[in-house]
Amino acid sequence: MNESLDNAVLAVDGGGTRCRVACEVGGVVHSVETGAANVSTDFDSALAQIRAGLDQLSRQIEVTIGDLITLPAFVGLAGVTDAAIAGRLRDALGLTCARVEDDRPAAVRGALGAQDGLIAHCGTGSFLAVQADGAMRFAGGWGSILGDEASAQWVGRSALAETLRAYDGTQAETDLTQMLLADLQGPAGIVRFARTATPAQFGVLAPTVTSAAKKGDAVAVHILRAGAGYIADTAKQLGWQAGQTICLTGGIAGQYAHYLPDDMQSAIRPSLGEPLTGALALAKEIRHEHL
């Protein structure tokens, strides 16, 4: 291609499932996808995935990696928890004009653009964010041990906990609890599974729960109501106001729509774009700051 990079920007959006690296040149977006990139879980692996993406992208648009790393860039990655790890990543990649943050700002900007509103992201993990007058305020995203309420992981783990309560006889059995008890070979099997299960493995159980909820299973409905309650309460604490747009993103977030209060249900809108779109928009802001 050998196109001028005078107005080009670079963006990276990485999480526990995949990493996407993109360069917008002359209004055209070129992107590649590599594997999972969480710098807290495995810094070296995440770094390798980003480098692989930069290498693929450089060959795709026929420039050097050296050219790419000097571009205005926004890097949004799962696991960037403070300035120290952000700086370590920036230095390791050799980026010279970059903003390195976690993956939440790119998701917000992609979903909402510049408009005010709320994003409730519930995938394997979860977080909420409100954008108002260009400023973002976040809650959650602290991982499966200390947070990630209403995530797919949380739904799966909650279902297993409720199944054990049903086994103890402290709540009624349902089709869901009986099925999970049988599938995992009794309470001992549930405990064995939970002892080593990753968030993604807990999350695999979530579709079973949402499917049961659609059939009116009391335990499944209870779990989804609890997740929706967390979303509603946190949204209001973050400053969401009735009438502002709500975007439900991530694999399981849409399952909560029916359980949200009426004023929130009526505000739900499709996302304007994906996180990579948001990362590119944030990279353009960095470019303007350095003009």
Side-chain angles (χ1 to χ4, degrees), residues 142-226:
W142 298 115
S144 60
I145 296 174
L146 298 177
D148 282 350
E149 296 89 345
S151 67
Q153 173 274 144
W154 177 89
V155 167
R157 181 166 52 83
S158 297
L160 295 183
E162 295 296 332
T163 296
L164 292 178
R165 293 188 186 100
Y167 177 82
D168 287 338
T170 56
Q171 74 166 23
E173 292 185 343
T174 68
D175 289 344
L176 175 64
T177 66
Q178 290 173 346
M179 180 172 60
L180 290 174
L181 201 63
D183 288 349
L184 290 171
Q185 301 179 330
I190 289 176
V191 172
R192 280 195 301 270
F193 170 81
R195 186 179 295 123
T196 59
T198 64
Q201 288 171 325
F202 277 118
V204 167
L205 301 173
T208 300
V209 180
T210 58
S211 177
K214 291 175 182 176
K215 298 174 183 176
D217 185 277
V219 166
V221 169
H222 168 74
I223 292 169
L224 294 189
R225 285 193 189 280

Side-chain angles (χ1 to χ4, degrees), residues 103-113 117 119 127 129-131 136 138 275 278:
D103 53 346
R104 298 176 300 176
V108 174
R109 184 55 57 89
L112 294 172
I119 174 174
F127 73 88
V130 162
Q131 180 169 262
M136 300 178 190
F138 298 97

